[in-house]
Amino acid sequence: MKAQTYLISYQPYPTRAEHCTLGVLVFDENRRARAHLARNLKKATALDPQVTADKLRESLEWLVAEVNQAETAWDAFRSGIAAFRFSKEAGFFHYATPADYDRQVEWLLQTTAEPRAKVRAEPRRPKSRLFIELKSTFKAYGWLGEKPDDIDKHKVVTNYPVSEEEDLSAEFAMRNGVLHLVETVDFRTGMPSTKRMEARGKALVFDSAKELALSTACTVVVAAPDRAEVKGTMKMLQRYADRVAIYESTADMQSLFRDWAAAMNRPMLPLPPVS
């Protein structure tokens, strides 16, 4: 059996960008809807101190009842209702038993809606060749800062802390009113399954950054993305990133560096073709 899923976001003030994911709406194989809320709703209450779990639950129960009662109701609610918003694209999962269904829903809530507990820091993994090459380019242009505070001097910094609570950091960051982040995924080496997990981590960084900052521009630089076995991973990165730059594309990289140079108000020499 196949279920269709939509993430439920809470945006109490339409004129402001702050929002958080607080649950998932699931349509089962019979197109019956069910709403599942995260256990911990501290993000929602931080955005709207007046809201309570009971109020959220009652509102979603009403919405589900309306959707299940009238076939056209979901079309009316699809773009959002009151403070609730729904993901533009549907996801799905397969299940054979009610227990399978519950496990899939729990996994969705844990990965998208539940606050992520800070884990003990692990030894830093070696940086990829792509990260080193990109860092060398920033340094060659004279844009690379030596310490985290240099981001306030319109310089590029590495390992920028996006969320200390969740122990998330971006590989490169620059700020000029808008927070610009760059993550890299080097498909030239490594197993596809390993790269898929790595890409999920990059997507999580982007997702958290956009929840915490009003103006964020997220770029992922990828090398060798045309391998057939990483096509699904590339689709995921395209969904979470505002820009995907192909490292082997001189046009992509020139465009990225030109935009960053303009944002920092710094000169830029022509970028030589990537060999």
Side-chain angles (χ1 to χ4, degrees):
M1 294 179 286
K2 183 177 179 179
Q4 192 175 49
T5 63
Y6 293 88
L7 297 182
I8 304 170
S9 295
Y10 186 65
Q11 186 178 0
Y13 307 106
T15 58
R16 291 160 58 180
E18 293 98 331
H19 69 280
C20 68
T21 301
L22 52 71
V24 60
L25 183 68
V26 182
F27 289 89
D28 65 18
E29 78 283 2
N30 297 316
R31 293 300 296 173
R32 298 290 294 176
R34 293 173 62 185
H36 303 272
L37 273 179
R39 294 187 184 89
N40 191 327
L41 297 171
K42 67 178 184 180
K43 288 185 178 180
T45 54
L47 292 176
D48 182 6
Q50 304 301 318
V51 79
T52 65
D54 288 340
K55 288 181 180 179
L56 292 171
R57 191 170 291 107
E58 288 173 6
S59 297
L60 288 173
E61 286 175 354
W62 173 86
L63 184 146
V64 167
E66 291 292 314
V67 169
N68 287 333
Q69 184 175 354
E71 293 183 1
T72 58
W74 175 237
D75 293 333
F77 298 150
R78 180 71 183 81
S79 60
I81 178 171
F84 295 118
R85 301 291 181 268
F86 305 97
S87 54
K88 293 181 179 180
E89 295 184 4
F92 69 90
F93 62 78
H94 292 279
Y95 66 101
T97 66
D100 288 341
Y101 177 98
D102 291 341
R103 280 193 293 269
Q104 293 283 4
V105 168
E106 180 65 21
W107 181 84
L108 271 173
L109 292 175
Q110 287 293 335
T111 55
T112 63
E114 297 287 359
R116 305 173 189 100
K118 185 173 181 180
V119 297
R120 185 173 56 187
E122 297 179 357
R124 290 194 179 275
R125 296 180 180 179
K127 295 297 184 181
S128 70
R129 187 175 118 206
L130 178 56
F131 171 88
I132 295 170
E133 291 168 348
L134 197 55
K135 181 179 178 181
S136 297
T137 303
F138 285 134
K139 186 174 182 180
Y141 281 140
W143 301 346
L144 193 65
E146 296 181 354
K147 54 186 184 298
D149 291 346
D150 286 342
I151 195 171
D152 295 322
K153 300 176 182 177
H154 302 298
K155 286 200 168 188
V156 179
V157 298
T158 60
N159 301 317
Y160 177 78
V162 170
S163 172
E164 293 184 358
E165 179 183 356
E166 299 171 10
D167 197 26
L168 295 174
S169 60
E171 289 181 309
F172 299 99
M174 178 269 294
R175 185 165 57 209
N176 71 328
V178 175
L179 177 62
H180 298 263
L181 304 179
V182 166
E183 290 284 287
T184 65
V185 182
D186 194 342
F187 292 113
R188 294 173 293 186
T189 59
M191 298 290 292
S193 58
T194 302
K195 290 300 174 181
R196 185 163 54 250
M197 292 300 296
E198 179 184 339
R200 286 174 181 169
K202 313 291 186 176
L204 181 58
V205 169
F206 289 159
D207 187 55
S208 293
K210 289 182 177 182
E211 281 193 2
L212 296 169
L214 290 178
S215 300
T216 307
C218 299
T219 298
V220 60
V221 177
V222 295
D226 52 350
R227 294 166 56 186
E229 60 269 30
V230 301
K231 189 176 296 184
T233 303
M234 281 298 299
K235 286 184 178 179
M236 177 186 64
L237 290 171
Q238 289 165 351
R239 188 165 67 249
Y240 283 91
D242 300 303
R243 167 191 250 169
V244 177
I246 310 301
Y247 186 62
E248 290 83 0
S249 168
T250 300
D252 278 9
M253 298 309 295
Q254 282 182 333
S255 176
L256 173 62
F257 287 128
R258 188 163 48 245
D259 289 349
W260 275 42
M264 293 184 289
N265 195 26
R266 294 180 181 275
M268 187 191 97
L269 297 174
L271 184 71
V274 177
S275 57

